[in-house]
């Protein structure tokens, strides 16, 4: 199972990013866990200055804006 963390304040872009990850995983038949992290200290701990950020298995893979659907599919299937 892949563990994703969506880093952000809970804004619409953060919600859309989490939903996109969940939908891509469902379409690919991949088990994922999506955790929403809103604590600014935890977000800063990953070095994210612009949200949403995405962490996959404790590795920062994206920051700043909603990721491209192709990129999300790559994370899920990769």
């Amino acid at each position: 199972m892949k563990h994703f963390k969506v880093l952000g304040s809970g804004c619409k872009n953060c919600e859309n990013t989490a939903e996109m990850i969940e939908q891509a995983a469902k379409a690919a038949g991949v088990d994922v866990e999506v955790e929403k992290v809103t604590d600014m200290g935890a977000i800063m701990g990953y070095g994210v200055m612009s949200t949403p950020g995405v962490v996959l298995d404790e590795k920062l893979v994206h920051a700043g804006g909603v990721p491209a659907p192709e990129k999300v599919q790559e994370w899920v299937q990769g």
Side-chain angles (χ1 to χ4, degrees), residues 1-2 4 28 30 32 56-57 70-78:
M1 177 183 291
K2 295 183 180 202
F4 286 91
V30 176
V32 298
L56 170 56
D57 295 331
E70 301 80 28
K71 189 55 92 173
V72 174
Q73 289 174 352
E74 188 178 301
W75 297 331
V76 168
Q77 296 172 352

Side-chain angles (χ1 to χ4, degrees), residues 2-8 17-18 21 33-37 42 46 52-62 75:
K2 295 183 180 202
H3 184 96
F4 286 91
K5 292 181 182 177
V6 176
L7 312 177
T17 299
I21 293 168
E33 179 182 349
V34 179
E35 176 184 349
K36 297 173 187 170
V37 178
Y46 287 102
V54 179
V55 174
L56 170 56
D57 295 331
E58 290 306 311
K59 180 182 178 216
L60 181 67
V61 293
H62 178 81
W75 297 331

Side-chain angles (χ1 to χ4, degrees), residues 5-25:
K5 292 181 182 177
V6 176
L7 312 177
S9 64
C11 66
K12 189 66 174 164
N13 284 344
C14 300
E15 293 293 328
N16 289 342
T17 299
E19 187 175 319
M20 193 183 319
I21 293 168
E22 290 168 349
Q23 288 177 350

